PDB file of all heavy atoms in Angstrom:
ATOM      1  N   VAL A 448     -67.118  26.185  26.594  1.00  0.00           N
ATOM      2  CA  VAL A 448     -65.802  26.458  25.869  1.00  0.00           C
ATOM      3  C   VAL A 448     -64.671  26.878  26.830  1.00  0.00           C
ATOM      4  O   VAL A 448     -64.842  27.813  27.632  1.00  0.00           O
ATOM      5  CB  VAL A 448     -65.977  27.533  24.833  1.00  0.00           C
ATOM      6  CG1 VAL A 448     -64.680  27.764  24.123  1.00  0.00           C
ATOM      7  CG2 VAL A 448     -67.049  27.130  23.779  1.00  0.00           C
ATOM      8  N   ASP A 449     -63.628  26.135  26.777  1.00  0.00           N
ATOM      9  CA  ASP A 449     -62.407  26.543  27.472  1.00  0.00           C
ATOM     10  C   ASP A 449     -61.220  25.962  26.737  1.00  0.00           C
ATOM     11  O   ASP A 449     -61.321  25.113  25.872  1.00  0.00           O
ATOM     12  CB  ASP A 449     -62.406  26.227  28.996  1.00  0.00           C
ATOM     13  CG  ASP A 449     -62.411  24.700  29.265  1.00  0.00           C
ATOM     14  OD1 ASP A 449     -62.157  23.918  28.379  1.00  0.00           O
ATOM     15  OD2 ASP A 449     -62.683  24.327  30.436  1.00  0.00           O
ATOM     16  N   VAL A 450     -60.006  26.394  27.124  1.00  0.00           N
ATOM     17  CA  VAL A 450     -58.749  25.963  26.474  1.00  0.00           C
ATOM     18  C   VAL A 450     -57.715  25.765  27.588  1.00  0.00           C
ATOM     19  O   VAL A 450     -57.514  26.647  28.415  1.00  0.00           O
ATOM     20  CB  VAL A 450     -58.209  27.046  25.499  1.00  0.00           C
ATOM     21  CG1 VAL A 450     -56.974  26.516  24.823  1.00  0.00           C
ATOM     22  CG2 VAL A 450     -59.280  27.385  24.432  1.00  0.00           C
ATOM     23  N   ALA A 451     -57.086  24.631  27.595  1.00  0.00           N
ATOM     24  CA  ALA A 451     -56.014  24.359  28.537  1.00  0.00           C
ATOM     25  C   ALA A 451     -54.753  25.078  28.057  1.00  0.00           C
ATOM     26  O   ALA A 451     -54.617  25.445  26.898  1.00  0.00           O
ATOM     27  CB  ALA A 451     -55.758  22.861  28.627  1.00  0.00           C
ATOM     28  N   GLY A 452     -53.843  25.238  28.959  1.00  0.00           N
ATOM     29  CA  GLY A 452     -52.526  25.848  28.568  1.00  0.00           C
ATOM     30  C   GLY A 452     -52.210  27.142  29.292  1.00  0.00           C
ATOM     31  O   GLY A 452     -52.948  27.589  30.210  1.00  0.00           O
ATOM     32  N   THR A 453     -51.155  27.803  28.902  1.00  0.00           N
ATOM     33  CA  THR A 453     -50.706  29.059  29.452  1.00  0.00           C
ATOM     34  C   THR A 453     -51.451  30.181  28.834  1.00  0.00           C
ATOM     35  O   THR A 453     -52.097  30.076  27.777  1.00  0.00           O
ATOM     36  CB  THR A 453     -49.207  29.249  29.303  1.00  0.00           C
ATOM     37  OG1 THR A 453     -48.901  29.374  27.883  1.00  0.00           O
ATOM     38  CG2 THR A 453     -48.456  28.066  29.855  1.00  0.00           C
ATOM     39  N   ASP A 454     -51.397  31.375  29.432  1.00  0.00           N
ATOM     40  CA  ASP A 454     -52.033  32.511  28.851  1.00  0.00           C
ATOM     41  C   ASP A 454     -51.606  32.794  27.443  1.00  0.00           C
ATOM     42  O   ASP A 454     -52.383  33.218  26.591  1.00  0.00           O
ATOM     43  CB  ASP A 454     -51.776  33.769  29.723  1.00  0.00           C
ATOM     44  CG  ASP A 454     -52.696  33.714  31.020  1.00  0.00           C
ATOM     45  OD1 ASP A 454     -53.569  32.902  31.058  1.00  0.00           O
ATOM     46  OD2 ASP A 454     -52.321  34.507  31.931  1.00  0.00           O
ATOM     47  N   ALA A 455     -50.313  32.553  27.168  1.00  0.00           N
ATOM     48  CA  ALA A 455     -49.784  32.874  25.883  1.00  0.00           C
ATOM     49  C   ALA A 455     -50.427  32.051  24.775  1.00  0.00           C
ATOM     50  O   ALA A 455     -50.710  32.567  23.651  1.00  0.00           O
ATOM     51  CB  ALA A 455     -48.269  32.642  25.830  1.00  0.00           C
ATOM     52  N   THR A 456     -50.687  30.787  25.022  1.00  0.00           N
ATOM     53  CA  THR A 456     -51.298  29.955  24.019  1.00  0.00           C
ATOM     54  C   THR A 456     -52.839  30.009  24.110  1.00  0.00           C
ATOM     55  O   THR A 456     -53.514  29.867  23.100  1.00  0.00           O
ATOM     56  CB  THR A 456     -50.878  28.506  24.163  1.00  0.00           C
ATOM     57  OG1 THR A 456     -51.192  28.023  25.498  1.00  0.00           O
ATOM     58  CG2 THR A 456     -49.346  28.370  23.862  1.00  0.00           C
ATOM     59  N   GLN A 457     -53.349  30.147  25.325  1.00  0.00           N
ATOM     60  CA  GLN A 457     -54.773  30.195  25.525  1.00  0.00           C
ATOM     61  C   GLN A 457     -55.520  31.209  24.665  1.00  0.00           C
ATOM     62  O   GLN A 457     -56.525  30.945  24.008  1.00  0.00           O
ATOM     63  CB  GLN A 457     -55.138  30.425  26.978  1.00  0.00           C
ATOM     64  CG  GLN A 457     -55.163  29.178  27.866  1.00  0.00           C
ATOM     65  CD  GLN A 457     -55.621  29.542  29.265  1.00  0.00           C
ATOM     66  OE1 GLN A 457     -55.225  30.520  29.822  1.00  0.00           O
ATOM     67  NE2 GLN A 457     -56.488  28.673  29.824  1.00  0.00           N
ATOM     68  N   ALA A 458     -55.002  32.408  24.710  1.00  0.00           N
ATOM     69  CA  ALA A 458     -55.656  33.527  24.029  1.00  0.00           C
ATOM     70  C   ALA A 458     -55.750  33.291  22.508  1.00  0.00           C
ATOM     71  O   ALA A 458     -56.773  33.427  21.870  1.00  0.00           O
ATOM     72  CB  ALA A 458     -54.978  34.883  24.269  1.00  0.00           C
ATOM     73  N   GLY A 459     -54.639  32.817  21.920  1.00  0.00           N
ATOM     74  CA  GLY A 459     -54.663  32.512  20.491  1.00  0.00           C
ATOM     75  C   GLY A 459     -55.572  31.406  20.106  1.00  0.00           C
ATOM     76  O   GLY A 459     -56.324  31.479  19.129  1.00  0.00           O
ATOM     77  N   TYR A 460     -55.530  30.315  20.864  1.00  0.00           N
ATOM     78  CA  TYR A 460     -56.422  29.192  20.596  1.00  0.00           C
ATOM     79  C   TYR A 460     -57.897  29.566  20.841  1.00  0.00           C
ATOM     80  O   TYR A 460     -58.731  29.190  20.055  1.00  0.00           O
ATOM     81  CB  TYR A 460     -56.077  27.978  21.472  1.00  0.00           C
ATOM     82  CG  TYR A 460     -54.743  27.317  21.081  1.00  0.00           C
ATOM     83  CD1 TYR A 460     -53.993  26.596  22.055  1.00  0.00           C
ATOM     84  CD2 TYR A 460     -54.214  27.360  19.785  1.00  0.00           C
ATOM     85  CE1 TYR A 460     -52.841  25.991  21.754  1.00  0.00           C
ATOM     86  CE2 TYR A 460     -53.033  26.751  19.471  1.00  0.00           C
ATOM     87  CZ  TYR A 460     -52.306  26.031  20.430  1.00  0.00           C
ATOM     88  OH  TYR A 460     -51.140  25.404  20.126  1.00  0.00           O
ATOM     89  N   LEU A 461     -58.134  30.252  21.882  1.00  0.00           N
ATOM     90  CA  LEU A 461     -59.496  30.670  22.215  1.00  0.00           C
ATOM     91  C   LEU A 461     -60.093  31.582  21.114  1.00  0.00           C
ATOM     92  O   LEU A 461     -61.228  31.398  20.755  1.00  0.00           O
ATOM     93  CB  LEU A 461     -59.573  31.437  23.588  1.00  0.00           C
ATOM     94  CG  LEU A 461     -60.987  31.789  23.996  1.00  0.00           C
ATOM     95  CD1 LEU A 461     -61.835  30.538  24.237  1.00  0.00           C
ATOM     96  CD2 LEU A 461     -60.944  32.615  25.296  1.00  0.00           C
ATOM     97  N   GLU A 462     -59.265  32.436  20.583  1.00  0.00           N
ATOM     98  CA  GLU A 462     -59.697  33.300  19.506  1.00  0.00           C
ATOM     99  C   GLU A 462     -60.139  32.435  18.270  1.00  0.00           C
ATOM    100  O   GLU A 462     -61.194  32.684  17.679  1.00  0.00           O
ATOM    101  CB  GLU A 462     -58.666  34.302  19.085  1.00  0.00           C
ATOM    102  CG  GLU A 462     -59.114  35.224  17.963  1.00  0.00           C
ATOM    103  CD  GLU A 462     -58.130  36.281  17.588  1.00  0.00           C
ATOM    104  OE1 GLU A 462     -57.028  36.283  18.149  1.00  0.00           O
ATOM    105  OE2 GLU A 462     -58.475  37.159  16.783  1.00  0.00           O
TER     106      GLU A 462
END
Side-chain angles (χ1 to χ4, degrees):
V448 179
D449 63 14
V450 183
T453 65
D454 285 345
T456 59
Q457 274 184 319
Y460 289 155
L461 182 63
E462 180 176 5

